[in-house]
Amino acid sequence: MGDFLSAAAPRAHFTRYLTRSEVACLLGTIRRRRGNIARRDAALIRIALQSGFRIGSVAGLTVGDAQEGARAGRLRARAEHAKRGRAYDVPVSRKLRRALKEALAVRRAMGFPLDDTAAPLFVSREGTPLSVRAMQHQFRTWRIAAGLSMPASFHWLRHTAAKRVLASTESRDPLGVAQAVLGHANRKSTAIYLLPDREELADAMEAI
């Protein structure tokens, strides 16, 4: 494991993720706002968090992807939206299935049908595909509204998913599990998540 940690140098610890309380604050802020745009944004944040997908893969999800993922229990990061064109699947958990169903329900509530499986899952008020830039803007808007002071970006949701996987898995190879969930081709890319995090540093200081 030391070899993998050395690949993550020069960072001494990892900070680019959200704690559970920060996620709860963010989603709670969105939940208190009424309307389909808030519902849409909450669903896409939950999907990103529960799948670990990069923002391009979230933006590239179609109605059919969500329907198939909720039904079959596997959600695909399509090659055309995945890094280096490498498609991969992640298992659909109960939370992810609920988020996918909510995203479909919100799209229908916004006035856009679900009969075209190739149609984008996330759309604007006008029905145009929600772009990566728009998702980044919406995330920043909600982060500020929630009073989260750190410069978190949408990509932090992927980091957060990785940290949660490593913290919760009972596998003999936790790094391998995280690598598979994130779709990393190189195991060393996942090693950064083994670095000490904010909570671990705080606990260590409390023990002094």
Side-chain angles (χ1 to χ4, degrees), residues 43 46-47 94-104:
R46 286 192 173 97
I47 288 173
R94 289 190 298 274
K95 290 181 180 179
L96 180 52
R97 181 174 286 106
R98 285 198 297 270
L100 291 170
K101 289 182 176 180
E102 172 66 2
L104 290 166

Side-chain angles (χ1 to χ4, degrees), residues 165-166 169-183 187 190:
V165 167
L166 283 171
T169 183
E170 297 180 358
S171 170
R172 295 181 181 178
D173 182 15
L175 194 64
V177 172
Q179 178 187 1
V181 168
L182 296 173
R187 192 176 176 90
T190 319

Side-chain angles (χ1 to χ4, degrees), residues 15 17-28 146 148 150 156 198-199:
T15 61
Y17 66 97
L18 298 176
T19 64
R20 289 190 180 275
S21 62
E22 288 164 349
V23 170
C25 179
L26 177 65
L27 290 175
L148 299 179
M150 75 287 291
W156 282 33
R198 285 181 275 154
E199 290 84 357

Side-chain angles (χ1 to χ4, degrees), residues 129-140:
L130 199 64
S131 68
V132 165
R133 184 170 299 224
M135 288 187 176
Q136 291 169 333
H137 172 78
Q138 289 298 103
F139 182 86
R140 182 176 183 274

